[in-house]
Amino acid sequence: MVTTADTLSRKAQFPGLVTPAGDVWHYLDTAATAQKPQAVIDAMTDAMGRDYATVHRGVYSRSADMTLAYEAARRRAASFIGARSENEIVFVRGATEAINLVAQSWGGLTLKAGDRIMLSQLEHHSNIVPWQMIAQQTGAEIDVCPLTQDHRIDLDALENMLTERHRIVALAHVSNVLGSILGAKRAAKLAHAVGAKLLLDGCQAAPRMRLDMAELDCDFYVLSAHKLYGPTGVGVLWAREELLDAMPPYQGGGAMIDTVTFEKSTYAPPPQRFEAGTPMITEVIALHAAIDYTEAHDMERLFAHESALAATLRDELRAMNSVRLFGPDTSAGIVSFEMDGVHPHDLGTILDEENVAIRAGHHCAQPLMAHLGVPATARASFGLYSDETDIDALLRGIERTRRIFG
Ligand code: PMP
């Protein structure tokens, strides 16, 4: 059991968790982006300062060392998610770029008119729009898997809807709005039973759950470092090696080629084939530090800690008659709700005065908002530094908001 004393010492490792006036900042927007521990900030500073050089091309020792560090980060990312080989790890700008890469490269190669793409009602826009774009280009069509009553992806419905025309199923492993956890292994079985591939959007799962690609049995997995206590500007696309081998490049340029003439270029094998240009060197080094930092806390303990906080908050909110809760009771550390008669933006603004930061809006999930019948929700999301003091501050702020709005 993680105690408040544990999280207090963790909070001290995050310089961002203090306001400019030196007060505690109750940061409940980790699902949008996580605060950074000093260890990650230090790793990035060193990589930009005393260790800085380019990778893969330099003949001098600093560049050779940086290349070793960059490739060590790839091996670390592979071990973190249980990949079979570091060649299955492509460094990208973030989850959004990873999904665009799969949609354009794999989708462009595979999809034809009449093929179908299966998404779900709760997807983030970045797991919808890239598929719409490739659907328009290829003539493929999109289906939407509905949700259960308690707002989880309905795998019984998925089973009934999937056909041999479906080439890909792309689903959030954990919903960024509701914290709903996908039955990923069953989703993989269902997709594979009709010969479709499964892409999992792991943005919200990677910081909260132990991942093992072999166990999940998906085909593509994407995540963003900035939600995993690392920097912005870097993320991971994992794909089975044989899939990457068959995929054409997504972008052309330096570092992704084997030979270039004006007549013809040949491409490097994956993962380099998908890493055109000078990569995000310092960010990749900092991602390595972020994975070390996060995993040292034990992913299973983190999951239990954040799920328990979410359950506590749900119980407290349920006890307030004027609050409507969304999502299932078991959530991976993310709670969406609505206060009667108070727009989420107003709630967010009043909470800000109390040094409590929540997210208010559509959370880049407008189709989910339409399904819930609201324009926006208020969302509190936890991280490894969150504890009951953050929940108490949120509840005090909600009470104050209720008094203000009568
Ligand atoms: N999918 C989910 C579930 C997310 O939460 C997010 C970020 N909010 C994304 C995709 C997109 O991630 P990024 O903006 O880092 O590319």
Side-chain angles (χ1 to χ4, degrees), residues 17-209:
L17 290 177
V18 179
T19 68
D23 297 321
V24 175
W25 195 37
H26 297 286
Y27 184 69
L28 293 170
D29 199 17
T30 298
T33 196
Q35 293 295 322
K36 316 305 171 203
Q38 192 61 49
V40 169
I41 299 168
D42 290 345
M44 190 135 173
T45 307
D46 287 346
M48 277 211 283
R50 56 156 215 221
D51 299 336
Y52 189 70
T54 193
V55 291
H56 295 147
R57 279 176 288 262
V59 290
Y60 45 90
S61 54
R62 176 87 76 88
S63 173
D65 289 346
M66 199 50 132
T67 304
L68 289 177
Y70 184 85
E71 292 305 325
R74 197 188 304 278
R75 285 195 297 282
R76 187 68 184 89
S79 73
F80 178 60
I81 64 169
R84 274 177 310 182
S85 145
E86 67 262 33
N87 291 335
E88 298 180 330
I89 302 292
V90 180
F91 288 125
V92 287
R93 197 166 63 80
T96 301
E97 186 175 60
I99 298 172
N100 277 280
L101 192 165
V102 176
Q104 288 299 319
S105 170
W106 177 87
L109 182 73
T110 313
L111 296 172
K112 301 180 300 299
D115 285 346
R116 306 197 75 87
I117 298 165
M118 178 67 76
L119 308 177
S120 90
Q121 188 73 44
L122 58 64
E123 298 311 311
H124 189 282
H125 295 164
S126 61
N127 198 26
I128 299 174
V129 184
W131 298 113
Q132 287 174 329
M133 290 164 64
I134 194 66
Q136 275 159 16
Q137 291 162 29
T138 59
E141 283 172 70
I142 290 176
D143 293 307
V144 181
C145 179
L147 306 183
T148 59
Q149 286 280 317
D150 65 349
H151 306 143
R152 288 173 296 114
I153 296 173
D154 187 342
L155 295 181
D156 291 336
L158 183 72
E159 183 164 16
N160 290 330
M161 289 173 76
L162 280 174
T163 67
E164 273 161 25
R165 303 258 42 165
H166 287 97
R167 295 277 174 262
I168 184 134
V169 179
L171 303 173
H173 195 182
V174 167
S175 157
N176 66 308
V177 181
L178 308 164
S180 325
I181 303 164
L182 175 72
K185 282 193 240 171
R186 183 166 171 218
K189 273 208 187 77
L190 296 177
H192 294 157
V194 296
K197 303 289 180 228
L198 176 66
L199 177 143
L200 292 179
D201 172 355
C203 273
Q204 301 298 339
R208 300 187 168 85
M209 293 165 77

